[in-house]
Amino acid sequence: MLDYDEEAGRYDASRGGEPRAAAAAQAVLNLIPLGARDLLDIACGTGIVTRRFPSARAGLRVTGADLAASMTRIAAARLPGAVVRADSRQLPFDDARFDAAVSVWLLHLQSGPEDVRALVGECARVLRPGGVYVTTVDKAASHNVGSDIDAVLSARPRSPVRDLAADVAARAAEHGLVPAGQAVFRGHGQGRSPRRTIADLRRGWFGTLPPGSPLADAFAARLAALPDQDRPRPDPVFHLRAFRKPPAPGNGGTAANTDGSACHGIG
C-alpha cells in the first residue's frame, strides 16, 4: 500500500488535479440533500475536493478528517479550523452530528471486512436521522477501461476487493442505512499511459507487485513494450452510492430528509 504521508506532496497533481476534484465534488453534491448543513468528509486527503463543497453550496459547513498527518496539514491550509486528524474507524465526533458523511476513495484501502464494517458503522453513527452517507464503490474496476494496459495488468495477482457495491450495501443495511441513489463521475486526467503505469508500479501502486520484485520487473517489461508510451488511455469512471439514515419514528425528518434517488451522469 502507498504511504499517504509520503504521497501528500504529489497527490493532487498525480490524480487529475482540479478537473477531477470538480467532477468528484459535483457528483457527491448531487446526492446530498439541499437542506444539509453539516458535512463530514472522511479521508479528505489534501482537501482539494472538500473545499469545493461549501463553495458550491451556500450554507453548507464542512469538516474534513484524515489519518495521514501530511495530508491533514495541506487540507488545513485550505480549510482553516475545519480539519482534524482522525481514524475513520473511530471518529472523534458525537452521535448524530452531521447531515451528510462522505468517504471518497477510502473503502478499497481497508485491510479487511471488519474495518469496512467499522467505518460504515461510524458513518451511520455520526449521521443525524434523515442524513445521507455517500461513498465510492468498485474503485479497482473503475480503472479497467479496456485498454492495452489493462490487458497486460489483467494477469497480475489480485488483492481482495473491499468495496464491492453489493458488500457495501450489505454493510450499510447492517447499520440501518437504506439506498438513496447513485452517481458516476470521470477521473479527468487519470488515464494511464504505459510509462506512467511503470512509474506507479515502481513506487508500490499495485500492492501485489512489490517494487523491485521479479514479478514487478516482468510486468514493467511488458508495459514498456506497448506502443505510444506517453499517450494516456481513457480516463476511469468512478461510481458513488448513497445511503440514508431513516428519520426517527414519529419524526418527519431533518433538513436532510430527501431520498436523492436519481442516478446522475458523468461529471
Side-chain angles (χ1 to χ4, degrees), residues 54-158:
S55 62
R57 186 177 293 183
L60 184 63
R61 296 178 292 268
V62 301
T63 300
D66 201 283
L67 186 57
S70 296
M71 290 287 197
T72 55
R73 282 195 292 270
I74 297 172
R78 288 171 163 163
L79 294 153
V83 177
V84 299
R85 190 177 179 202
D87 187 328
S88 59
R89 299 163 298 180
Q90 292 181 304
L91 294 171
F93 305 108
D94 292 338
D95 295 356
R97 168 69 177 78
F98 298 95
D99 297 312
V102 176
S103 64
V104 176
W105 303 303
L106 174 61
L107 295 183
H108 71 287
L109 296 174
Q110 302 310 298
S111 60
E114 289 308 312
D115 284 342
V116 175
R117 181 175 283 107
L119 194 160
V120 174
E122 280 293 271
C123 291
R125 180 184 66 79
V126 301
L127 278 180
R128 293 171 181 146
V132 171
Y133 170 49
V134 179
T135 185
T136 42
V137 296
D138 299 326
K139 182 180 183 292
S142 298
H143 286 279
N144 190 340
V145 296
S147 71
D148 52 352
I149 295 173
D150 295 325
V152 169
L153 294 176
S154 66
R156 76 184 188 277
R158 297 290 179 171

Side-chain angles (χ1 to χ4, degrees), residues 19-34:
R20 185 189 77 150
Q26 187 56 60
V28 168
L29 285 174
N30 285 345
L31 295 170
I32 302 296
L34 292 175

Side-chain angles (χ1 to χ4, degrees), residues 154-179:
S154 66
R156 76 184 188 277
R158 297 290 179 171
S159 299
V161 178
R162 305 303 184 196
D163 66 340
L164 285 174
D167 291 345
V168 175
R171 301 294 81 76
E174 288 175 2
H175 295 287
L177 304 180
V178 298

Side-chain angles (χ1 to χ4, degrees), residues 232-257:
R233 278 40 171 184
D235 290 327
V237 174
F238 298 107
H239 295 256
L240 292 169
R241 293 291 178 95
F243 303 92
R244 180 169 168 264
K245 187 173 187 175
N251 186 342
T254 67
N257 187 15

